[in-house]
Amino acid sequence: MWLCLEGLSVTGPLKDMDFSVQEGGGPRILHQFKLEPPAVSFRTSGEKAGIIDIEPRTGILYINGSLDWETQQVHKLQVESLDESGKTVKGPYTVTINVEDINDNPPEFNQTKYYGVVRQNSRPGKPFMYVHATDRDNPATLHAQLSYSILHHFPNPYDEMLFQIDNATGAISPSRTGSYYLDPQKQDTFILVVSVKDMAGTTTNAFTSSVDVIITVKESLWKAPPIIYIKENSTQVHPVNISKVQSNEPGVIYGIFEKENLPRLPFSISENGDIYVTQPLDREERDNYTFFVVSKDNTGELVDKPLQIQVIVEDINDNPPVCQQDLTVIEVQENEKGGSNIGTVFATDMDKKDTLNSRLHFQIQSQEPEFPSDNLFYIQQDTGTLQLAGRSLSKRDSAKYFLKVLVTDPRKQCLLLHIGITVHTGMTCVQCLRDYGSVTLAEDIPIGSVVLEIEATDGDEPATGSSLIIYQVKEGDPNNTFTIETDSETNRGFIRINKALDFETMSVYNLVINATNPEPLVEGVEYNSSSLTKLKVSVTNVEEPPAFQKPVYKTEVSEDIPVNTLVMTVEAYDPEGDSVRYSLEGDVRKWLRIDSATGQVYTASPLDRETEETYSVEVVASELSKVFLILHLSDVNDNYPQIATDYPTFFCYPVSGGERALIQATDADEQFFYSKFTFSLADEMNARNNWEISKFNATHAYLSLKHGNFEEKAYDVPIILNDNGKPPLENKVNLKVSICKCSSENSCFIEIDRQHSWPTTGQAIGILLGVLIIIGKSLLPA
């Protein structure tokens, strides 16, 4: 034998045996079987692979070479002992050799190069292609557990990569940056160098392979169509296809939601993205529609940003002219000159304004009476303006005239209007009765209040435009603070407050009021001083509270700003011109102070977001006006990470080594600062010899036993926690871990010292320290 047998202690009688042998490693001895008389030799048969055999006289089972797991994982042999004549004494017995895998195969991609296509604005995190690699090592071990990553990114114009890869599945998708910036007009091709490592990528001696991935960026399919034009009152069979949209992802569910809350939206969308109008539209009812099209996946999550769809309803000439009144009455003064405008005939068309469909044509069809001639009136055909054709009218000829006016649109749809014309004699002007002296008003009088009632007289025919009186403030009211309304039945005028009075701005108004008719005076008659009156309005002062510049003051400050830092300045002004004094109310935490003269608000003591994230106080101006001041405190990383103590950490005695318990880190800061905790053992000999920490997720880790030589007692395990904040904070904590006997429910059971308890004789007393031995077992298989 070439192997030294000295010191070989793995010996024993012939029997069934199992061996585990690591692949590779060269020649080795597995076992020595003892001869038992009358046996004088051994013999083996079976799956010897040309290198497994037994030395007949000594019984040494050996391997003369290296086994390969990838070739054969299990070898089964039969061993028997023989006597001098070659007859079997014992056996055959089965010897099973299990070959253990080692990491001796690098991962291999199933393609030498990959090609993929991604659409502009594709959803971040949604895979558009996969890479795949295999490893010939044992898939049940880390040797064949593969981890993918992106090594290089050509070109890479931004600080963050435009693509990302799932380290477990090899799925490639746009990153959030990529979803926003990918644009084929700027860069239509990218090359990724994708790496794959075995050993789950966790060790430095893992095998690595890489491959090029060529990605073509194409224009987004998800686009809003141009404005859709639909003619109103269509006679087509509905629904009618009017447009189409297409998502970048297949298999999406399309939907419509309206911009406004309509009783019923006359549009629909099919599962293929075809947009339909479901009924004829009426432009006169609604001339445009705006709605949104969305695409969702089967979980209801939005796939693309909503598209705005705009529909314009086009007009057709489907409405005749209309008039609001059956009879239009026009009053005309005698002696109006020929060519004078005496009124306008109004008609409307519901078709689109300023188009041929709504253009109207006016024509006088008849005049009654036709005296002293049949053409006393003229109408402008496009405007409807009615004029005297040549001569003035005389009430002696006729006090009333009746016209029929024909109104047509381009489709010759007709409307017949009746016009009544009344002729008046108008010779006198308006006369005011008296001056009204003065009135005194407080500056806080409500808008709309009646200040004074005035009255003038007119000698013209009652209840006509010639006798109706219109009152106006001619002088003394530059800002239209007053307005005058006329009672058309009594011709009385009511002076009202139109805008708020302000003593500080204007304390006296000297008003000059005139009275006129809405119809022009006949030639030779003019308004004079008798049509005017005067009124003096005096405004008295009312004490007014200060007014703040804003309805509420808001600002955001960092919780770590120093004491006496200026937070903001609150400003109020006093309408009376007095100085304003400021104070605070509701500052229950005494965090703030205010300069009583300037309104500058400072910090008076340290702020703490963890105590109160939004802090509200009231600022008081001169003890009369109040306004809210609201501080939003932004977080800084000022709280050290701690171990959560919701459940005690323990292991059931006796331990065998390798058990693990889930521990959790917490932090009072905002989650932004502790999205990822780092766990490690303190650099102490006992800690590293006895315990081991491994990451579970961003907030949890496993604490494991490195051996089984623990006593039944409590241990302090020194753990270093880092919250990876800005700036990062690190904290050393001593985690109390109990090694204890456990109940049948896997709860730690500790006997209470009897001399300090209250037992009855023979009673067993214990305390349950936890419920569930390892929380992590419910989260991840061990």
Side-chain angles (χ1 to χ4, degrees), residues 368-620:
E368 292 182 6
E370 297 179 351
F371 182 81
S373 68
D374 61 357
N375 59 350
L376 296 176
F377 305 97
Y378 170 79
I379 193 167
Q380 294 182 12
Q381 65 177 11
D382 286 308
T383 64
T385 301
L386 198 61
Q387 297 173 295
L388 293 179
R391 53 171 290 177
S392 300
L393 301 180
S394 172
K395 194 172 182 179
R396 289 192 300 271
D397 294 335
S398 178
K400 294 183 183 293
Y401 290 91
F402 295 94
L403 304 180
K404 290 183 181 179
V405 176
L406 186 65
V407 185
T408 59
D409 70 8
R411 288 183 60 185
K412 302 304 179 184
Q413 299 187 77
C414 300
L415 171 68
L416 195 61
L417 298 182
H418 297 273
I419 312 297
I421 300 175
T422 302
V423 182
H424 294 295
T425 57
M427 298 299 293
T428 63
C429 64
V430 181
Q431 291 186 342
C432 291
L433 297 181
R434 60 186 177 88
D435 284 346
Y436 286 89
S438 65
V439 296
T440 300
L441 304 175
E443 66 176 334
D444 61 351
I445 184 172
I447 293 176
S449 299
V450 175
V451 174
L452 189 68
E453 181 180 331
I454 60 176
E455 186 175 14
T457 60
D458 190 294
D460 289 321
E461 185 176 347
T464 68
S466 301
S467 62
L468 180 65
I469 299 175
I470 303 297
Y471 300 93
Q472 294 174 314
V473 178
K474 186 176 181 181
E475 297 176 10
D477 185 17
N479 298 318
N480 297 320
T481 304
F482 301 92
T483 185
I484 306 178
E485 298 175 358
T486 300
D487 184 329
S488 60
E489 294 184 1
T490 66
N491 264 345
R492 291 177 179 175
F494 299 90
I495 304 175
R496 295 181 182 271
I497 300 297
N498 186 48
K499 296 180 181 179
L501 301 178
D502 185 9
F503 174 83
E504 287 73 28
T505 303
M506 196 163 186
S507 60
V508 176
Y509 294 86
N510 292 302
L511 305 181
V512 177
I513 301 170
N514 69 348
T516 60
N517 299 126
E519 292 186 2
L521 298 175
V522 298
E523 187 176 358
V525 179
E526 296 180 355
Y527 294 105
N528 54 39
S529 60
S530 66
S531 301
L532 302 175
T533 190
K534 296 180 180 180
L535 174 66
K536 179 180 180 181
V537 179
S538 299
V539 182
T540 60
N541 188 30
V542 176
E543 185 71 23
E544 298 177 74
F548 285 97
Q549 299 283 11
K550 299 179 182 179
V552 64
Y553 288 82
K554 296 181 180 180
T555 189
E556 181 173 340
V557 296
S558 178
E559 65 172 326
D560 65 342
I561 60 174
V563 174
N564 292 324
T565 297
L566 177 64
V567 173
M568 67 163 54
T569 299
V570 177
E571 292 183 274
Y573 69 93
D574 191 297
E576 314 295 334
D578 296 333
S579 61
V580 178
R581 306 292 293 175
Y582 300 93
S583 60
L584 295 179
E585 286 186 4
D587 184 17
V588 294
R589 301 197 179 278
K590 307 301 180 186
W591 281 353
L592 303 174
R593 66 176 178 85
I594 190 168
D595 187 304
S596 61
T598 65
Q600 293 177 318
V601 181
Y602 298 86
T603 54
S605 60
L607 309 179
D608 184 19
R609 188 201 68 87
E610 288 69 42
T611 300
E612 199 151 355
E613 186 173 351
T614 301
Y615 190 58
S616 298
V617 299
E618 282 187 303
V619 179
V620 183

